[in-house]
Structures are given as C-alpha cells and as structure tokens.
Amino acid sequence: MGFAIVGDWDTAEDRFLDALQAEMRRRGMVQADQAEIRESTVVFHVLEPGRIIPYRRRSQSVYVVSVVFLDQWPDNLLHFGYPMLIRSLGNLLLMTDRDPSACRAAFVTLEQGSYVVEEDGGFDRWIAKVVDRLWPLATSRLVINNRFEPDLPEFLWEGDAVSKRLCEAGRRLDEWDLLPAPFPMEQLLSPRDMRHIHHLFGIGGLSYGNLSARCPSGGFWMSASGINKGAMTTVGEHVLLVKDYDETRNEMVLSVPPHIQPRRVSVDAIEHWMIYRDHPQVGAIVHVHAWMDGVKATQVNYPCGTIQLAREVAGLVREAPRPERAVIGLKNHGLTITGTDLDDIFARIDGKILRHVPMV
C-alpha cells in the first residue's frame, strides 16, 4: 500500500505532517505524489476548518483521512467534526492542535464515533499512537458491492412471515428510539458530490442500525442501506434477500424481484452472512448504536462493511457461551445481538439498553 498527502498547509503544521509521513514509511508504506494516487492508497487530505473541499477519489479502495488543524479545541468533537467529515467525502476525520506540542488528536468516524488520542510521554510516542489508531482502519477492506440476481421466487415477491416480522421489528426499534435519524447528507453535499458517492459506494444517504432474520426458504432477509428502518415495507427496496457472498468478486449476492429497481443491502451484510454461515441456530441479528453493561467488545473500531470487522465480530460470537444468544460490543460504535428469532432478541434487551456508547 501507498500513501499521499494533499491539500494546503503552512509551516506551523509541518512538524506533525513530517512526523506522520516518517511513521507511515517506517511501517512499510510507500509515499506517492498526487499524480500517483491509485487503488489501495491512503490519502491524508489537509483542510482548513472554514474551507472544506471534497476529495473525489477515483476508487472506493482509496481511504481518505481528512486532516484539520485547530486553533481552538471544540466543546463537542462529534457535532463540530462530523459535518466536516461528510463535506470532505472522507472515511475518517483527524483533528489536531495547530501547535503539535499539545500531543492531542481526535478522530471522528462515519459511524459517529469520536475519541481523543493523547500522550504525555513525548511527541514521537504520540505520533506512533495516532498511527496505531489509524493503521487498522486505513488498511481494512470494504465488502459493500452488491450483485442483484432477479430470481426471487414469485411467492416471496411480497415477502413472507419472517420478512414481515423484520419490518415490525424495525418499527419497534424506532419506537424505542434506537434508530438515529439518517444524517442529512443532501443538506451538506452538492448534487455533484452526492452523485459521486452514489457512483463509488452505491449509497444515497446514511442511516444507522440494521436487522436481519433467516429466511426459511434459504438465505436471510436484511434491511437495505440508507433507509428509515422504522418504515420498511417493500421487498427489494427496503428488505432484501441475501443469498451468498462471492469471495472471488468480493460482493454480496442478492435475490430480488425482477420488476423492482433494488436498493443496496446494509453494509453489515458480510458480518451477518458470516454469523449465519457458522451458526445454524442463529435465527436473527440486530445491530443498534447503543450499549449494554458487561459486553465483550471488539478491540478495533473497524469501519462498517469491512471484512476485518465482520471477522472480529463473528469470532466473538463464536467464543460466546451461546452463540445463538450473544451480545457483542463494537468499539466506539454499538452492539451486534444474535437470537434464535427477533422476539428472543427483544425480550433479552428490553430495559437493558444504554443509548450512550462509550468512546475509548
């Protein structure tokens, strides 16, 4: 993999950027200039807080870290930084003091995580800690491509009892206030940038939380990406049947009605697929941006939709005393909950959910 630094910065910011580049090279990444940026490249896009310019990557495998230097630290990192992350079209936002001697940086993720990395043991140790947090995210691999096969049997065009229960469960999560409102990307991005995001990632908006349930006819029903999970109705548009994962082409395979223009399935489909594949007794999975006390959690806040996150969550489910009734924490993100069916999940989490996800 390679990396590049683009954008505008002044000499006051050179110390941080020079040290960042040196640490990336020390870990084996090859530095590229802007003309050499291609697939599997990490791009550090340096921005002014008052002048956010989008970075329009040519490939979804280019990982963009938007970098902002601050004269004043914000009171609320997420509220301050998240709009900048969206406007810059980045995968991750890194904010740090313009004076690098403060040895303080904050990360904001697309999953609405935010956390601070500080170090009182010296500048070089701090830079290493910053790259430690960045490295697994920037080197992870997305599994978000979909292959739609218009072969859904006609008796499933209107769904079945399980898909209808999935829609009801979505409404119940909404009633419990566990589905944050979709972030209004269209209010922050130009039509051109919205088209660019849709072209690369196949999404027209962000939404949070998802749910799935095993289909008696094979595969599993799952909520679509970028929709209101509390108002699901239509097979192929709001609820999709996941058939398989094609590892060679790195894409989820979906069975859809031939008369529907389908939406893409949730980016967490690869994680759900791994769990259903390994545990036939698992009948349903719910993911929410919330928390429960005492849960075992992932060690890295991998981005949603990456094979690395899917493997780590699936591994923790496998280690659980009862994989069919596991509650797994996703670091700085939320929960993945398995059950024998959706009713089982709701009965076990009722009254135990904490809406605040701890950030570490």
Side-chain angles (χ1 to χ4, degrees):
M1 292 185 68
F3 76 95
I5 297 184
V6 302
D8 298 313
W9 60 92
D10 57 39
T11 54
E13 296 147 2
D14 282 345
R15 186 185 180 198
F16 175 83
L17 294 174
D18 288 347
L20 182 68
Q21 294 174 75
E23 182 65 16
M24 297 292 284
R25 289 193 298 265
R26 189 186 70 79
R27 300 188 186 209
M29 279 205 178
V30 178
Q31 189 161 3
D33 62 31
Q34 190 161 0
E36 297 171 329
I37 295 171
R38 56 192 185 281
E39 292 187 6
S40 301
T41 300
V42 181
V43 174
F44 294 95
H45 184 205
V46 184
L47 300 162
E48 284 291 332
R51 185 171 176 265
I52 302 301
I53 300 172
Y55 183 86
R56 300 185 183 94
R57 58 180 75 73
R58 291 189 288 268
S59 167
Q60 65 180 218
S61 65
V62 173
Y63 190 89
V64 179
V65 182
S66 301
V67 181
V68 174
F69 293 93
L70 302 175
D71 292 310
Q72 183 176 355
W73 206 250
D75 293 329
N76 189 307
L77 292 172
L78 186 62
H79 290 176
F80 179 79
Y82 202 76
M84 290 196 291
L85 174 60
I86 298 298
R87 288 193 177 102
S88 66
L89 305 185
N91 298 93
L92 183 72
L93 178 70
L94 191 165
M95 297 184 289
T96 188
D97 296 88
R98 199 174 298 276
D99 176 7
S101 63
C103 293
R104 177 177 59 174
F107 289 101
V108 175
T109 73
L110 284 172
E111 293 78 27
Q112 292 192 321
S114 63
Y115 48 91
V116 176
V117 176
E118 297 180 284
E119 174 60 50
D120 56 11
F123 179 77
D124 291 339
R125 287 183 60 180
W126 172 60
I127 290 293
K129 285 178 68 173
V130 168
V131 177
D132 283 344
R133 297 299 291 262
L134 167 70
W135 192 265
L137 313 184
T139 56
S140 58
R141 177 168 61 93
L142 289 168
V143 184
I144 59 174
N145 291 327
N146 287 189
R147 182 167 83 236
F148 299 107
E149 298 185 347
D151 61 355
L152 188 71
E154 187 172 356
F155 73 89
L156 291 177
W157 287 2
E158 300 298 324
D160 59 10
V162 175
S163 68
K164 291 177 172 58
R165 180 70 189 94
L166 195 73
C167 296
E168 294 169 4
R171 288 190 285 273
R172 190 169 181 183
L173 288 177
D174 194 32
E175 291 170 0
W176 284 12
D177 198 24
L178 292 177
L179 296 173
F183 197 84
M185 292 174 64
E186 69 282 354
Q187 295 179 20
L188 296 174
L189 300 181
S190 68
R192 177 188 178 189
D193 289 333
M194 286 293 294
R195 289 193 298 271
H196 183 74
I197 287 177
H198 187 269
H199 174 71
L200 276 183
F201 301 105
I203 61 173
L206 293 176
S207 63
Y208 305 105
N210 54 67
L211 57 169
S212 69
R214 196 183 291 274
C215 176
S217 303
F220 61 93
W221 296 108
M222 190 169 191
S223 52
S225 174
I227 65 165
N228 177 4
K229 311 303 189 301
M232 300 187 296
T233 57
T234 307
V235 170
E237 184 177 355
H238 304 127
V239 179
L240 295 113
L241 185 68
V242 181
K243 292 201 300 185
D244 204 356
Y245 166 56
D246 186 333
E247 185 174 4
T248 303
R249 297 173 61 174
N250 193 40
E251 58 190 15
M252 303 308 301
V253 184
L254 300 136
S255 183
V256 298
H259 60 284
I260 292 285
Q261 181 63 42
R263 296 185 67 103
R264 297 168 69 88
V265 74
S266 168
V267 296
D268 290 319
I270 181 61
E271 175 189 311
H272 291 220
W273 178 83
M274 285 187 179
I275 295 171
Y276 285 123
R277 177 198 61 185
D278 294 346
H279 306 288
Q281 66 272 43
V282 172
I285 302 171
V286 169
H287 167 61
V288 289
H289 286 210
W291 204 251
M292 289 174 65
D293 286 332
V295 298
K296 193 169 184 178
T298 60
Q299 296 300 301
V300 177
N301 61 305
Y302 289 115
C304 288
T306 57
I307 195 79
Q308 286 79 7
L309 177 63
R311 286 171 177 162
E312 189 168 0
V313 173
L316 290 174
V317 170
R318 196 176 302 115
E319 295 170 4
R322 295 188 63 184
E324 77 279 10
R325 306 189 85 202
V327 182
I328 305 300
L330 280 61
K331 184 175 182 177
N332 298 333
H333 183 178
L335 297 167
T336 290
I337 307 160
T338 67
T340 54
D341 55 29
L342 289 163
D343 289 334
D344 172 54
I345 292 175
F346 279 98
R348 285 163 39 226
I349 67 174
D350 192 4
K352 300 177 182 178
I353 289 289
L354 307 173
R355 284 172 177 75
H356 176 70
V357 178
M359 298 293 167
V360 294

